[in-house]
Amino acid sequence: MYILCVSDYLIQDINEIDIYNCFQLNQANTPNVGSESYKNFEELIINADYKLCIKNTTVIAFAICFAYKKKTIAYLNSVNHKNFKELNKMVNNFLYVDRIVVDENYRHLGLGSELYKKIIKYGISQNYTSVTAEINYLPIKNDISFNFHKKHGFEEIATKKYSKEYEVSFQKCNIN
């Protein structure tokens, strides 16, 4: 189990106890991240290849990532994960950040950057060539996420408009 103290915060793998707190944080940050039922959110975490949270007394940030490997691709296809399917057509050998969320009361403290350092380090250790993500244009353009990802070396590789209410930007950062 991976645990690291960063000042007053603890970074660790998401465990069963943390799932509900991650879920609450996720739902508090919709529509910037996708809303999920608790059951679907729990399944995302259980099937994720890399998942971290930052805690003080409760979860204040988390990231859920999926790897470009057969088992993960099969799971994400089974739940019809549209964005992963699109990225899978454009990029090979990548680590996909399904979502990264920082509680609004803890933003601008470097917590999201700390999560990305760990994600990139993990990606490199697993020989992935890039880290990918998608950011919402619609229903609301997520300017905070666009700026954050640009700061971390991500570039837009494509956009996809699924409907008049849902459009995303696909982002990629080369790591190897």
Side-chain angles (χ1 to χ4, degrees):
M1 181 176 190
Y2 180 81
I3 298 179
L4 172 71
C5 279
V6 177
S7 67
D8 295 329
Y9 308 107
L10 180 68
I11 300 177
Q12 68 179 40
D13 294 333
I14 296 172
N15 61 43
E16 285 184 41
I17 296 166
D18 299 322
I19 293 173
Y20 184 73
N21 292 324
C22 290
F23 171 74
Q24 288 183 310
L25 187 55
N26 185 83
Q27 296 306 101
N29 283 277
T30 58
N32 289 326
V33 294
S35 177
E36 298 287 343
S37 71
Y38 180 75
K39 181 181 182 231
N40 289 349
F41 187 83
E42 182 179 41
E43 285 180 16
L44 278 176
I45 290 178
I46 289 168
N47 287 286
D49 296 295
Y50 192 62
K51 51 207 172 220
L52 292 174
C53 67
I54 300 179
K55 297 164 69 170
N56 55 16
T57 56
T58 189
V59 173
I60 56 175
F62 72 90
I64 302 171
C65 304
F66 292 97
Y68 180 80
K69 59 185 187 181
K70 195 173 188 175
K71 179 182 171 191
T72 302
I73 292 168
Y75 164 70
L76 292 172
N77 283 337
S78 76
V79 296
N80 195 29
H81 197 295
K82 295 184 282 194
N83 291 325
F84 186 86
K85 284 182 181 180
E86 290 298 320
L87 280 165
N88 199 18
K89 294 175 190 174
M90 296 181 266
V91 184
N92 291 316
N93 196 33
F94 61 95
L95 183 63
Y96 167 65
V97 180
D98 180 69
R99 58 196 71 214
I100 183 167
V101 179
V102 177
D103 183 304
E104 67 181 337
N105 297 313
Y106 294 90
R107 291 185 183 151
H108 309 291
L109 299 176
L111 301 178
S113 295
E114 194 62 35
L115 287 172
Y116 258 119
K117 285 180 194 173
K118 306 297 177 216
I119 290 166
I120 290 169
K121 185 176 180 180
Y122 174 79
I124 290 169
S125 76
Q126 300 298 306
N127 295 314
Y128 294 111
T129 56
S130 60
V131 174
T132 62
E134 90 277 340
I135 305 169
N136 287 348
Y137 273 122
L138 293 172
I140 294 173
K141 184 177 180 193
N142 190 344
D143 287 319
I144 293 169
S145 188
F146 275 102
N147 294 334
F148 175 79
H149 283 85
K150 183 176 182 179
K151 177 178 133 181
H152 288 86
F154 283 77
E155 295 181 355
E156 185 173 270
I157 56 172
T159 62
K160 176 77 174 186
K161 190 166 189 173
Y162 294 102
S163 70
K164 65 181 184 175
E165 295 91 22
Y166 185 47
E167 181 178 8
V168 298
S169 165
F170 294 107
Q171 304 273 318
K172 177 179 151 185
C173 175
N174 293 322
I175 59 171
N176 274 328

PDB file of all heavy atoms in Angstrom, residues 82-92 94 132 157-160 162 169-172:
ATOM      1  N   LYS A  82     -17.654   5.953 -23.018  1.00  0.00           N
ATOM      2  CA  LYS A  82     -17.491   6.594 -24.323  1.00  0.00           C
ATOM      3  C   LYS A  82     -16.138   7.284 -24.482  1.00  0.00           C
ATOM      4  O   LYS A  82     -15.500   7.172 -25.530  1.00  0.00           O
ATOM      5  CB  LYS A  82     -18.603   7.613 -24.562  1.00  0.00           C
ATOM      6  CG  LYS A  82     -19.975   7.024 -24.675  1.00  0.00           C
ATOM      7  CD  LYS A  82     -21.004   8.073 -24.994  1.00  0.00           C
ATOM      8  CE  LYS A  82     -21.353   8.845 -23.736  1.00  0.00           C
ATOM      9  NZ  LYS A  82     -22.551   9.660 -23.854  1.00  0.00           N
ATOM     10  N   ASN A  83     -15.715   8.014 -23.458  1.00  0.00           N
ATOM     11  CA  ASN A  83     -14.484   8.791 -23.601  1.00  0.00           C
ATOM     12  C   ASN A  83     -13.251   7.893 -23.707  1.00  0.00           C
ATOM     13  O   ASN A  83     -12.350   8.160 -24.494  1.00  0.00           O
ATOM     14  CB  ASN A  83     -14.344   9.781 -22.447  1.00  0.00           C
ATOM     15  CG  ASN A  83     -15.385  10.879 -22.530  1.00  0.00           C
ATOM     16  OD1 ASN A  83     -15.751  11.319 -23.614  1.00  0.00           O
ATOM     17  ND2 ASN A  83     -15.884  11.308 -21.389  1.00  0.00           N
ATOM     18  N   PHE A  84     -13.214   6.819 -22.934  1.00  0.00           N
ATOM     19  CA  PHE A  84     -12.098   5.888 -23.041  1.00  0.00           C
ATOM     20  C   PHE A  84     -12.074   5.241 -24.422  1.00  0.00           C
ATOM     21  O   PHE A  84     -11.016   5.090 -25.026  1.00  0.00           O
ATOM     22  CB  PHE A  84     -12.155   4.822 -21.942  1.00  0.00           C
ATOM     23  CG  PHE A  84     -10.945   3.930 -21.918  1.00  0.00           C
ATOM     24  CD1 PHE A  84      -9.810   4.310 -21.214  1.00  0.00           C
ATOM     25  CD2 PHE A  84     -10.925   2.723 -22.601  1.00  0.00           C
ATOM     26  CE1 PHE A  84      -8.680   3.498 -21.193  1.00  0.00           C
ATOM     27  CE2 PHE A  84      -9.818   1.908 -22.593  1.00  0.00           C
ATOM     28  CZ  PHE A  84      -8.681   2.298 -21.884  1.00  0.00           C
ATOM     29  N   LYS A  85     -13.263   4.871 -24.922  1.00  0.00           N
ATOM     30  CA  LYS A  85     -13.331   4.270 -26.260  1.00  0.00           C
ATOM     31  C   LYS A  85     -12.763   5.217 -27.315  1.00  0.00           C
ATOM     32  O   LYS A  85     -12.034   4.791 -28.217  1.00  0.00           O
ATOM     33  CB  LYS A  85     -14.772   3.913 -26.614  1.00  0.00           C
ATOM     34  CG  LYS A  85     -15.294   2.675 -25.943  1.00  0.00           C
ATOM     35  CD  LYS A  85     -16.713   2.384 -26.393  1.00  0.00           C
ATOM     36  CE  LYS A  85     -17.270   1.165 -25.728  1.00  0.00           C
ATOM     37  NZ  LYS A  85     -18.645   0.874 -26.162  1.00  0.00           N
ATOM     38  N   GLU A  86     -13.103   6.492 -27.215  1.00  0.00           N
ATOM     39  CA  GLU A  86     -12.590   7.476 -28.179  1.00  0.00           C
ATOM     40  C   GLU A  86     -11.078   7.624 -28.056  1.00  0.00           C
ATOM     41  O   GLU A  86     -10.371   7.649 -29.061  1.00  0.00           O
ATOM     42  CB  GLU A  86     -13.275   8.833 -27.989  1.00  0.00           C
ATOM     43  CG  GLU A  86     -14.717   8.854 -28.410  1.00  0.00           C
ATOM     44  CD  GLU A  86     -14.913   8.567 -29.897  1.00  0.00           C
ATOM     45  OE1 GLU A  86     -14.140   9.046 -30.741  1.00  0.00           O
ATOM     46  OE2 GLU A  86     -15.871   7.835 -30.223  1.00  0.00           O
ATOM     47  N   LEU A  87     -10.586   7.729 -26.834  1.00  0.00           N
ATOM     48  CA  LEU A  87      -9.137   7.839 -26.641  1.00  0.00           C
ATOM     49  C   LEU A  87      -8.414   6.598 -27.156  1.00  0.00           C
ATOM     50  O   LEU A  87      -7.338   6.691 -27.732  1.00  0.00           O
ATOM     51  CB  LEU A  87      -8.809   8.066 -25.161  1.00  0.00           C
ATOM     52  CG  LEU A  87      -8.970   9.492 -24.687  1.00  0.00           C
ATOM     53  CD1 LEU A  87      -8.997   9.561 -23.167  1.00  0.00           C
ATOM     54  CD2 LEU A  87      -7.853  10.370 -25.250  1.00  0.00           C
ATOM     55  N   ASN A  88      -9.023   5.451 -26.958  1.00  0.00           N
ATOM     56  CA  ASN A  88      -8.437   4.194 -27.403  1.00  0.00           C
ATOM     57  C   ASN A  88      -8.262   4.159 -28.924  1.00  0.00           C
ATOM     58  O   ASN A  88      -7.382   3.478 -29.443  1.00  0.00           O
ATOM     59  CB  ASN A  88      -9.309   3.033 -26.921  1.00  0.00           C
ATOM     60  CG  ASN A  88      -8.595   1.714 -26.925  1.00  0.00           C
ATOM     61  OD1 ASN A  88      -7.382   1.652 -26.964  1.00  0.00           O
ATOM     62  ND2 ASN A  88      -9.362   0.652 -26.889  1.00  0.00           N
ATOM     63  N   LYS A  89      -9.092   4.912 -29.659  1.00  0.00           N
ATOM     64  CA  LYS A  89      -8.954   5.004 -31.115  1.00  0.00           C
ATOM     65  C   LYS A  89      -7.798   5.923 -31.513  1.00  0.00           C
ATOM     66  O   LYS A  89      -7.253   5.798 -32.609  1.00  0.00           O
ATOM     67  CB  LYS A  89     -10.240   5.561 -31.744  1.00  0.00           C
ATOM     68  CG  LYS A  89     -11.455   4.678 -31.609  1.00  0.00           C
ATOM     69  CD  LYS A  89     -12.678   5.408 -32.161  1.00  0.00           C
ATOM     70  CE  LYS A  89     -13.963   4.700 -31.857  1.00  0.00           C
ATOM     71  NZ  LYS A  89     -15.139   5.502 -32.288  1.00  0.00           N
ATOM     72  N   MET A  90      -7.434   6.862 -30.646  1.00  0.00           N
ATOM     73  CA  MET A  90      -6.457   7.896 -30.982  1.00  0.00           C
ATOM     74  C   MET A  90      -5.059   7.666 -30.423  1.00  0.00           C
ATOM     75  O   MET A  90      -4.081   8.159 -30.978  1.00  0.00           O
ATOM     76  CB  MET A  90      -6.941   9.264 -30.449  1.00  0.00           C
ATOM     77  CG  MET A  90      -8.208   9.764 -31.076  1.00  0.00           C
ATOM     78  SD  MET A  90      -8.652  11.368 -30.385  1.00  0.00           S
ATOM     79  CE  MET A  90      -9.768  10.871 -29.083  1.00  0.00           C
ATOM     80  N   VAL A  91      -4.973   6.966 -29.291  1.00  0.00           N
ATOM     81  CA  VAL A  91      -3.710   6.859 -28.562  1.00  0.00           C
ATOM     82  C   VAL A  91      -3.486   5.406 -28.178  1.00  0.00           C
ATOM     83  O   VAL A  91      -4.437   4.687 -27.863  1.00  0.00           O
ATOM     84  CB  VAL A  91      -3.753   7.730 -27.272  1.00  0.00           C
ATOM     85  CG1 VAL A  91      -2.411   7.713 -26.553  1.00  0.00           C
ATOM     86  CG2 VAL A  91      -4.176   9.165 -27.576  1.00  0.00           C
ATOM     87  N   ASN A  92      -2.248   4.980 -28.183  1.00  0.00           N
ATOM     88  CA  ASN A  92      -1.877   3.650 -27.711  1.00  0.00           C
ATOM     89  C   ASN A  92      -1.030   3.777 -26.455  1.00  0.00           C
ATOM     90  O   ASN A  92      -0.370   4.796 -26.245  1.00  0.00           O
ATOM     91  CB  ASN A  92      -1.066   2.893 -28.769  1.00  0.00           C
ATOM     92  CG  ASN A  92      -1.905   2.531 -29.965  1.00  0.00           C
ATOM     93  OD1 ASN A  92      -3.037   2.073 -29.831  1.00  0.00           O
ATOM     94  ND2 ASN A  92      -1.368   2.758 -31.144  1.00  0.00           N
ATOM     95  N   PHE A  94      -1.411   4.124 -23.055  1.00  0.00           N
ATOM     96  CA  PHE A  94      -1.606   5.319 -22.235  1.00  0.00           C
ATOM     97  C   PHE A  94      -2.222   4.983 -20.883  1.00  0.00           C
ATOM     98  O   PHE A  94      -2.827   3.933 -20.691  1.00  0.00           O
ATOM     99  CB  PHE A  94      -2.512   6.318 -22.961  1.00  0.00           C
ATOM    100  CG  PHE A  94      -3.896   5.809 -23.266  1.00  0.00           C
ATOM    101  CD1 PHE A  94      -4.956   6.070 -22.410  1.00  0.00           C
ATOM    102  CD2 PHE A  94      -4.150   5.075 -24.420  1.00  0.00           C
ATOM    103  CE1 PHE A  94      -6.229   5.608 -22.686  1.00  0.00           C
ATOM    104  CE2 PHE A  94      -5.428   4.615 -24.708  1.00  0.00           C
ATOM    105  CZ  PHE A  94      -6.468   4.874 -23.841  1.00  0.00           C
ATOM    106  N   THR A 132      -3.498  10.532 -20.434  1.00  0.00           N
ATOM    107  CA  THR A 132      -4.583  11.180 -21.159  1.00  0.00           C
ATOM    108  C   THR A 132      -5.707  11.551 -20.186  1.00  0.00           C
ATOM    109  O   THR A 132      -5.801  11.011 -19.086  1.00  0.00           O
ATOM    110  CB  THR A 132      -5.152  10.263 -22.252  1.00  0.00           C
ATOM    111  OG1 THR A 132      -5.701   9.091 -21.631  1.00  0.00           O
ATOM    112  CG2 THR A 132      -4.101   9.880 -23.275  1.00  0.00           C
ATOM    113  N   ILE A 157      -5.816  16.950 -28.208  1.00  0.00           N
ATOM    114  CA  ILE A 157      -5.564  16.147 -29.409  1.00  0.00           C
ATOM    115  C   ILE A 157      -6.819  15.990 -30.255  1.00  0.00           C
ATOM    116  O   ILE A 157      -6.723  15.658 -31.429  1.00  0.00           O
ATOM    117  CB  ILE A 157      -4.969  14.763 -29.060  1.00  0.00           C
ATOM    118  CG1 ILE A 157      -5.868  13.985 -28.094  1.00  0.00           C
ATOM    119  CG2 ILE A 157      -3.558  14.909 -28.501  1.00  0.00           C
ATOM    120  CD1 ILE A 157      -5.450  12.547 -27.844  1.00  0.00           C
ATOM    121  N   ALA A 158      -7.990  16.245 -29.665  1.00  0.00           N
ATOM    122  CA  ALA A 158      -9.253  16.156 -30.409  1.00  0.00           C
ATOM    123  C   ALA A 158     -10.385  16.632 -29.506  1.00  0.00           C
ATOM    124  O   ALA A 158     -10.205  16.790 -28.294  1.00  0.00           O
ATOM    125  CB  ALA A 158      -9.523  14.715 -30.849  1.00  0.00           C
ATOM    126  N   THR A 159     -11.528  16.854 -30.127  1.00  0.00           N
ATOM    127  CA  THR A 159     -12.750  17.126 -29.375  1.00  0.00           C
ATOM    128  C   THR A 159     -13.826  16.173 -29.880  1.00  0.00           C
ATOM    129  O   THR A 159     -13.722  15.641 -30.990  1.00  0.00           O
ATOM    130  CB  THR A 159     -13.238  18.582 -29.541  1.00  0.00           C
ATOM    131  OG1 THR A 159     -13.551  18.815 -30.908  1.00  0.00           O
ATOM    132  CG2 THR A 159     -12.196  19.570 -29.056  1.00  0.00           C
ATOM    133  N   LYS A 160     -14.828  15.979 -29.062  1.00  0.00           N
ATOM    134  CA  LYS A 160     -15.944  15.122 -29.461  1.00  0.00           C
ATOM    135  C   LYS A 160     -17.219  15.720 -28.889  1.00  0.00           C
ATOM    136  O   LYS A 160     -17.327  15.943 -27.692  1.00  0.00           O
ATOM    137  CB  LYS A 160     -15.744  13.697 -28.926  1.00  0.00           C
ATOM    138  CG  LYS A 160     -16.886  12.740 -29.193  1.00  0.00           C
ATOM    139  CD  LYS A 160     -16.913  12.243 -30.612  1.00  0.00           C
ATOM    140  CE  LYS A 160     -17.987  11.175 -30.782  1.00  0.00           C
ATOM    141  NZ  LYS A 160     -17.980  10.568 -32.063  1.00  0.00           N
ATOM    142  N   TYR A 162     -20.843  14.752 -28.326  1.00  0.00           N
ATOM    143  CA  TYR A 162     -21.746  13.616 -28.288  1.00  0.00           C
ATOM    144  C   TYR A 162     -23.189  14.043 -28.499  1.00  0.00           C
ATOM    145  O   TYR A 162     -23.988  13.287 -29.021  1.00  0.00           O
ATOM    146  CB  TYR A 162     -21.623  12.875 -26.955  1.00  0.00           C
ATOM    147  CG  TYR A 162     -20.284  12.212 -26.751  1.00  0.00           C
ATOM    148  CD1 TYR A 162     -19.317  12.782 -25.926  1.00  0.00           C
ATOM    149  CD2 TYR A 162     -19.985  11.005 -27.366  1.00  0.00           C
ATOM    150  CE1 TYR A 162     -18.094  12.170 -25.711  1.00  0.00           C
ATOM    151  CE2 TYR A 162     -18.762  10.381 -27.166  1.00  0.00           C
ATOM    152  CZ  TYR A 162     -17.818  10.975 -26.341  1.00  0.00           C
ATOM    153  OH  TYR A 162     -16.617  10.364 -26.153  1.00  0.00           O
ATOM    154  N   SER A 169     -13.034  17.776 -24.567  1.00  0.00           N
ATOM    155  CA  SER A 169     -11.715  17.941 -25.163  1.00  0.00           C
ATOM    156  C   SER A 169     -10.864  16.776 -24.688  1.00  0.00           C
ATOM    157  O   SER A 169     -10.765  16.517 -23.488  1.00  0.00           O
ATOM    158  CB  SER A 169     -11.097  19.260 -24.677  1.00  0.00           C
ATOM    159  OG  SER A 169      -9.703  19.292 -24.956  1.00  0.00           O
ATOM    160  N   PHE A 170     -10.233  16.059 -25.623  1.00  0.00           N
ATOM    161  CA  PHE A 170      -9.335  14.987 -25.270  1.00  0.00           C
ATOM    162  C   PHE A 170      -7.921  15.558 -25.157  1.00  0.00           C
ATOM    163  O   PHE A 170      -7.453  16.257 -26.068  1.00  0.00           O
ATOM    164  CB  PHE A 170      -9.382  13.853 -26.296  1.00  0.00           C
ATOM    165  CG  PHE A 170     -10.712  13.160 -26.305  1.00  0.00           C
ATOM    166  CD1 PHE A 170     -11.609  13.337 -27.340  1.00  0.00           C
ATOM    167  CD2 PHE A 170     -11.083  12.325 -25.253  1.00  0.00           C
ATOM    168  CE1 PHE A 170     -12.841  12.704 -27.344  1.00  0.00           C
ATOM    169  CE2 PHE A 170     -12.322  11.680 -25.247  1.00  0.00           C
ATOM    170  CZ  PHE A 170     -13.196  11.874 -26.289  1.00  0.00           C
ATOM    171  N   GLN A 171      -7.271  15.267 -24.062  1.00  0.00           N
ATOM    172  CA  GLN A 171      -5.972  15.828 -23.743  1.00  0.00           C
ATOM    173  C   GLN A 171      -4.928  14.712 -23.576  1.00  0.00           C
ATOM    174  O   GLN A 171      -5.270  13.612 -23.145  1.00  0.00           O
ATOM    175  CB  GLN A 171      -6.057  16.595 -22.418  1.00  0.00           C
ATOM    176  CG  GLN A 171      -7.119  17.701 -22.393  1.00  0.00           C
ATOM    177  CD  GLN A 171      -6.584  19.000 -22.923  1.00  0.00           C
ATOM    178  OE1 GLN A 171      -5.451  19.390 -22.619  1.00  0.00           O
ATOM    179  NE2 GLN A 171      -7.393  19.695 -23.713  1.00  0.00           N
ATOM    180  N   LYS A 172      -3.695  15.065 -23.898  1.00  0.00           N
ATOM    181  CA  LYS A 172      -2.605  14.075 -23.813  1.00  0.00           C
ATOM    182  C   LYS A 172      -1.336  14.764 -23.355  1.00  0.00           C
ATOM    183  O   LYS A 172      -1.035  15.885 -23.769  1.00  0.00           O
ATOM    184  CB  LYS A 172      -2.384  13.439 -25.180  1.00  0.00           C
ATOM    185  CG  LYS A 172      -1.249  12.453 -25.252  1.00  0.00           C
ATOM    186  CD  LYS A 172      -1.163  11.870 -26.664  1.00  0.00           C
ATOM    187  CE  LYS A 172       0.244  11.487 -27.009  1.00  0.00           C
ATOM    188  NZ  LYS A 172       0.373  11.037 -28.384  1.00  0.00           N
TER     189      LYS A 172
END
